[in-house]
Amino acid sequence: MPVEWQPQSQQWHLYNGRLSVVLAVLESGSLGQLYLGPPLEPDRDYRHLARGPFAGYANRVGEPIRFELPTPDSGDYRLPALAVRHADGSQVLDLRYGTHRIATGKPPLAGLPSTYTEDAAEADTLEIDLVDAVSGLMATVRLTIFRDHAAIARSVTVRNDGSTPVRITTLMSASLDILDGGWELISLHGAWSRERHVVRAPLIPGRRVIESLRGSSSLEQSPFLALVRPSTTEDAGEAIGLSLVYSGDFLADAQVDQFSTVRLRLGLNPDSFQWVLEPGAAFTSPEAITVHSTVGLGAMSETFHRLFRTRLARGEWRDRSRPVLINNWEGTYFDFDEERLVAIATVARDLGVELFVLDDGWFGRRDSDDRSLGDWVVDTRKLPNGITGLAQRVTSLGIGFGIWIEPEMVSADSDLFRGHPDWAIGVPGRPRTESRQQLVLDMGRAEVVDYLYAALEAVLGSAPVSYVKWDMNRTMTETYGLALPPERQGEMRHRYILGLYELYSRLVERFPHILFESCSSGGGRFDAGMLAYAPQAWTSDDTDAMERLRIQWGTSLAFPVSSMGAHVSAVPNHQVARMTPLATRAAVAFFGAFGYELDPVAMGPDERAQVAAQIAWFKTHRETIQGGRFLRLQSPFEGDGNDTAWMCVTDDARHAVVGWYRELSRPVPGPRSVRLRGLDPATRYRVRVWPDVDDTLVRRNALVRGGDELMSAGLFLDDGARESAIRGDFQARLFELEAI
Ligand code: DGJ
């Protein structure tokens, strides 16, 4: 099995033929990080890799510089992966190897989401105990290597075996010391309606920080980063990707020191996290996933996609095709009643939609977004027969019924807040900052989680609900837990996330047939932690097709297509007022958990016919798109960004769908081709174009092209139609490839 321990060299080698990680006990007794990279041969001594250019520690002259769990204030002046304050105020830790265990499989992390195995043979887990003899603190580094993925999962448990309390001030889930600084860093940056845009920049001496301090993983930054060589492309070169399986505040940073070595860290954000460990108590960090690729960013993303889709997501919906849904939000906002909703559901059903989702506004007196959050009781003015009556009418149409909730919030104008003002987070004696006229409930309190479970259990149990959209629309301020003593206030934000995970776990367990979709003002909590409970997430409130190209491209760096909620909406687009063709809107949204977010009752016969044809097309290709490999071809973040292309291909390379998009029409464009990937070079493919040039959604005449040619010479945009026939701005064309 792929964890090898060599007692004579005191070295561990984790290998699976896709990557290797080598650790060793150093002469000082501390745990050294020797190697992370392409696979190395087993049964060899790699201790000579325990070196670095640094020989400057006053008391550790000549020691290597790469540590698995660096600590502060003992000569390593870079930032630590574990820091504590002892009862005497000092923070020195001398962590030395104690013992280790190697076991098949992968243990769960109590209270935290994590990747898993279905069969113990899928992974091996190494746990190494490091002990600080003076304080009695023990840190256990836990590394899992997967048999089928070029990925390592890592978490750390800190236990206080001493006799006085210890305060953890930093605990990183991943910490990598890399010998050279010749890298570029890729992060995902954004804003509301502009999530996860790709930012790629060279590392320079000093520190580059990506973080959230908003109480959630955030719209602005993502708990993901990648190091790539300047020459790395989608299909060539080295890439190291890191993703945190966590939904709250995080820190990711890359520090380049005077020797151009890099320390890369990812974990809980030390600026908003502290944890007091009483004697005998333990604390476990969230899990970080490290992926290594020698063949480009595409392979790195594919490893994340497959691991997250099959061994992080779980439950009945993990492997199932996602229903084509219609959500009423942009179609009606708060202006609906039962008859209007049933009319929408009926038209949508006739066009092929499989699930109707009732968004915000069904509870309390929620006529606008300034009230009633927390009062999870149906508004009978709008829905006189309750959720039960509406859901029965919708499901009797032969489609599923889904509902929106925002459990973690409370409006100041709500019965819940009037009854329990102390449940909202705030500092006594100070005003609470409101945002979207709402406050955040203290999810760290058991009674709050219990109340929400009971309230939501009543709603979801009262009707045939098969889908839930779980929203979260504000960031955290005045962080203070009334139930916590002063010295534990630093635990508040992490306790919130633990409470959130507990509520999710209980509801997912109680309603295993429900498909959960997470949401936070769009994609403000699109992270690997959420995927363990909700296998899909609302990618962005921005449904404009051109904006979505960038958002979905960036999201795909770490997340699978099946996890990205993607809807066709009306024009002018509600976020950017752009007019894009209906066919283009669908051609972008097809590459996700596909649906519509408009009022189909207001559509004319032509548009309805187009939508019916779109849904029929999607159902034919859904398996290939949501269950196949997603490969990026032409980036909207490179060159002039005018063209974007991507594709999905089945594992057996028998079917593929290529999406090609053009933002602005340009005169005299010249021949355009894009090299496809993932095909079988020896296979000939029948190529069909969708939609045809007249935009009437009729399939064009079929062409035949070889896989070798499509991957080397490329697929030509004017195959099947003259390129000049693609007129106007915001155009899309899809190619279906079928092996002959
Ligand atoms: C924010 C979400 O992102 C939207 O899709 C919608 O559900 C609104 N909240 C409802 O308030």
Side-chain angles (χ1 to χ4, degrees), residues 84-87 135 137 160 164-168 275-279:
V84 302
R85 284 277 171 202
H86 300 289
S135 68
L137 195 91
N160 183 0
T164 52
V166 170
R167 179 183 298 269
I168 303 173
W275 198 274
V276 177
L277 274 187
E278 294 292 338

Side-chain angles (χ1 to χ4, degrees), residues 192 327 329 334 359-360 366 369 404 406 436 469 471 473 519-523 538 540-541 597:
W192 175 76
N327 177 304
W329 178 241
F334 293 104
D359 210 278
D360 194 355
R366 183 89 166 161
D369 64 12
W404 176 98
E406 192 178 358
R436 216 189 187 223
K469 178 179 174 186
D471 207 346
N473 282 307
C519 174
S520 179
S521 303
W538 182 223
S540 175
D541 274 352
E597 187 153 335

Side-chain angles (χ1 to χ4, degrees), residues 169 182 251 355 412 425 541 549 629 726:
T169 56
L251 172 86
L355 170 73
I425 294 173
D541 274 352
L549 288 174
R629 303 169 60 194
I726 302 179

Side-chain angles (χ1 to χ4, degrees), residues 704-738:
V704 175
R705 299 283 181 265
D708 52 354
E709 176 196 326
L710 291 169
M711 293 193 291
S712 302
L715 174 70
F716 282 81
L717 183 56
D718 60 357
D719 251 355
R722 289 191 319 280
E723 180 172 354
S724 59
I726 302 179
R727 292 188 180 282
D729 299 335
F730 319 130
Q731 296 297 316
R733 181 167 290 182
L734 301 181
F735 297 88
E736 312 163 29
L737 276 61
E738 196 183 346

